[in-house]
Amino acid sequence: MRELRRAVFINRSSSAMGVRLFSGESVALPPAADGTQMVLLLHRIGNVLEMRAEPVPHDWSDLQIWQEFDFSMTHSAPTSSYGR
């Protein structure tokens, strides 16, 4: 975790996206609906992880979302890793 600076998770699914915290509590983002999808932003500030959910248009590409939140890919995952 010390090397993690920030991450973005995009929920284009018709199901909620859940995150379980170390404490055992959970946070859920609603599924994509009404032309909007939820993006979960994770930032490490010192020893604290901050999570923030933001709505974006459903038709935005990954690149548009990355640009909106000032991200760029530093590593490309194999295409087979994506279920799309």
Side-chain angles (χ1 to χ4, degrees), residues 26-65:
S26 296
V27 176
L29 275 74
D34 299 323
T36 301
Q37 61 189 341
M38 295 303 292
V39 173
L40 178 66
L41 302 165
L42 180 97
H43 298 268
R44 185 176 63 83
I45 304 167
N47 290 327
V48 175
L49 290 179
E50 174 188 75
M51 292 187 295
R52 188 175 86 216
E54 296 285 341
V56 298
H58 192 269
D59 60 350
W60 277 14
S61 68
D62 289 350
L63 183 59
Q64 285 174 293
I65 293 170

Side-chain angles (χ1 to χ4, degrees), residues 6-19 28-33 35-42 52-73 81-84:
R6 56 194 191 132
V8 63
F9 301 91
I10 304 166
N11 186 21
R12 289 197 175 94
S13 171
S14 59
S15 300
M17 178 172 66
V19 177
L29 275 74
T36 301
Q37 61 189 341
M38 295 303 292
V39 173
L40 178 66
L41 302 165
L42 180 97
R52 188 175 86 216
E54 296 285 341
V56 298
H58 192 269
D59 60 350
W60 277 14
S61 68
D62 289 350
L63 183 59
Q64 285 174 293
I65 293 170
W66 298 337
Q67 289 173 342
E68 178 72 14
F69 296 104
D70 198 29
F71 275 79
S72 61
M73 290 303 288
S81 295
Y82 299 103
R84 299 185 229 159

